[in-house]
């Protein structure tokens, strides 16, 4: 009666398909079929998608001297804008990796991502930065809590906060992190009935894949943490059989059902 069409629900991975559905419905209900052309949303790349290819992580390593793990994270997160992020990265002072100071050890997030988000993505709170811009709070709430002061310092410099504002941001972020029961809440794990459920529980950012950090979280939660990042990287490459830098549910299931993982399955 109002002539307005509503659509609710959805998520990041389906929003364009939902938009197509609702626009198609509006076109039909308004008699605009003759004027409207075919939908083109599935041909329009997301921000950072123009020019993207699977060799971007390698190019980032070669051009900026960041580690391959970090290069993979940046490419997946920013697409072609990963080059702009790397241009803001600071030297590590090490022989390798030469560039890219991590926000907190054990995770691929860089200091310069905070500055990039402040300047180009309109982030304005520490809470936003550690939960939505980089899902550190969901991966490891303890690591997120430890990173809060550093994130606040970086954001204060980028946004010109006063000391009072910075302290306010730190308190609000710590209050939020205190509500996190851990990287994977127990009530989520109670719903795990098969290996697909397990995969989905540790696909923290709901990308449809498990990345390096999420695999480490999975093994830690299952009581078999990797002894080093080197061991974790070796295992990740073993599971990632097609070498695309991410673990699909099919790859995860194949690895999980490997006879050598019987002890892990019993846990």
């Amino acid at each position: 009666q109002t002539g307005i069409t509503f659509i609710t629900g959805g998520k990041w991975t389906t929003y364009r398909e939902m938009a197509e559905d609702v626009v198609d419905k509006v076109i039909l209900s308004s008699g605009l079929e003759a004027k409207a052309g075919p939908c083109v949303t599935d041909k329009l790349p997301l921000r950072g998608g123009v020019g993207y290819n699977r060799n971007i992580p390698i190019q980032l390593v070669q051009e900026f001297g960041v580690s391959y793990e970090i290069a993979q994270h940046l490419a997946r997160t920013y697409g072609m804008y990963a080059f702009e992020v790397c241009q803001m990265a600071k030297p590590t002072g090490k022989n390798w990796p030469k560039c890219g100071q991590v926000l907190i050890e054990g995770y691929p997030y860089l200091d310069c991502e905070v500055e990039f988000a402040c300047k180009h993505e309109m982030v304005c709170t520490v809470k936003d930065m550690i939960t939505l811009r980089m899902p550190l709070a969901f991966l490891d709430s303890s690591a997120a809590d430890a990173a809060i002061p550093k994130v606040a310092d970086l954001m204060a410099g980028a946004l010109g906060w006063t000391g009072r504002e910075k302290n306010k941001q730190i308190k609000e972020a710590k209050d939020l992190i205190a509500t996190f029961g851990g990287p994977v809440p127990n009530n989520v794990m109670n719903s795990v009935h098969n290996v697909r459920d397990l995969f989905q529980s540790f696909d923290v950012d709901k990308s449809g894949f498990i990345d390096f950090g999420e695999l480490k979280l999975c093994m830690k939660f299952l009581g078999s943490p990797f002894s080093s990042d080197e061991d974790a990287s070796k295992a990740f490459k073993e599971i990632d059989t097609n070498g695309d830098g991410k673990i699909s549910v099919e790859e995860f299931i194949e690895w999980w059902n490997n006879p050598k993982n019987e002890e892990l399955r019993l846990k």
Side-chain angles (χ1 to χ4, degrees), residues 49-117:
V50 176
Y52 184 85
N53 64 77
R54 63 183 301 173
N55 292 324
I56 295 301
I58 296 174
Q59 294 176 28
L60 294 173
V61 172
Q62 293 174 342
E63 185 171 342
F64 297 100
V66 295
S67 72
Y68 187 63
E69 178 194 353
I70 287 173
Q72 287 180 306
H73 154 66
L74 294 175
R76 285 196 301 266
T77 305
Y78 301 97
M80 292 300 290
Y81 285 95
F83 289 91
E84 291 189 22
V85 176
C86 283
Q87 287 171 359
M88 302 170 71
K90 296 178 175 60
T92 62
K94 304 175 183 177
N95 290 330
W96 188 261
K98 296 180 179 179
C99 194
Q101 296 182 6
V102 294
L103 193 62
I104 189 162
E105 290 297 330
Y107 294 93
Y109 308 114
L110 300 182
D111 289 3
C112 59
E113 290 183 71
V114 178
E115 183 182 359
F116 183 86

Side-chain angles (χ1 to χ4, degrees), residues 56-213:
I56 295 301
I58 296 174
Q59 294 176 28
L60 294 173
V61 172
Q62 293 174 342
E63 185 171 342
F64 297 100
V66 295
S67 72
Y68 187 63
E69 178 194 353
I70 287 173
Q72 287 180 306
H73 154 66
L74 294 175
R76 285 196 301 266
T77 305
Y78 301 97
M80 292 300 290
Y81 285 95
F83 289 91
E84 291 189 22
V85 176
C86 283
Q87 287 171 359
M88 302 170 71
K90 296 178 175 60
T92 62
K94 304 175 183 177
N95 290 330
W96 188 261
K98 296 180 179 179
C99 194
Q101 296 182 6
V102 294
L103 193 62
I104 189 162
E105 290 297 330
Y107 294 93
Y109 308 114
L110 300 182
D111 289 3
C112 59
E113 290 183 71
V114 178
E115 183 182 359
F116 183 86
C118 291
K119 292 184 176 179
H120 302 288
E121 298 182 346
M122 296 185 290
V123 65
C124 57
T125 67
V126 174
K127 292 188 298 184
D128 186 354
M129 193 70 235
I130 61 173
T131 56
L132 302 180
R133 309 312 171 109
M134 51 180 68
L136 187 57
F138 298 98
L139 288 170
D140 188 333
S141 57
S142 297
D145 184 69
I148 285 173
K150 191 172 185 180
V151 172
D153 283 340
L154 292 165
M155 292 186 70
L159 300 176
W161 287 345
T162 62
R164 177 178 295 180
E165 176 63 22
K166 186 177 79 169
N167 290 335
K168 173 176 171 287
Q169 291 283 338
I170 290 174
K171 182 181 184 305
E172 290 179 352
K174 283 187 170 290
D175 287 346
L176 175 66
I177 291 298
T179 67
F180 281 68
V184 181
N186 288 330
N187 64 341
V188 172
M189 291 306 295
N190 289 339
S191 66
V192 172
H193 304 293
N194 54 53
V195 65
R196 285 184 179 272
D197 291 343
L198 182 68
F199 176 90
Q200 292 170 358
S201 296
F202 288 98
D203 176 20
V204 178
D205 59 4
K206 303 306 175 189
S207 65
F209 298 91
I210 285 181
D211 61 24
F212 184 74

Side-chain angles (χ1 to χ4, degrees), residues 107 139-143 183-184 202 213-226 264 267:
Y107 294 93
L139 288 170
D140 188 333
S141 57
S142 297
V184 181
F202 288 98
E214 289 166 342
L215 178 65
K216 291 200 297 183
L217 171 66
C218 176
M219 297 303 291
K220 179 180 178 181
F221 196 88
L222 293 174
S224 298
F226 294 112
L264 183 64
K267 293 182 179 182

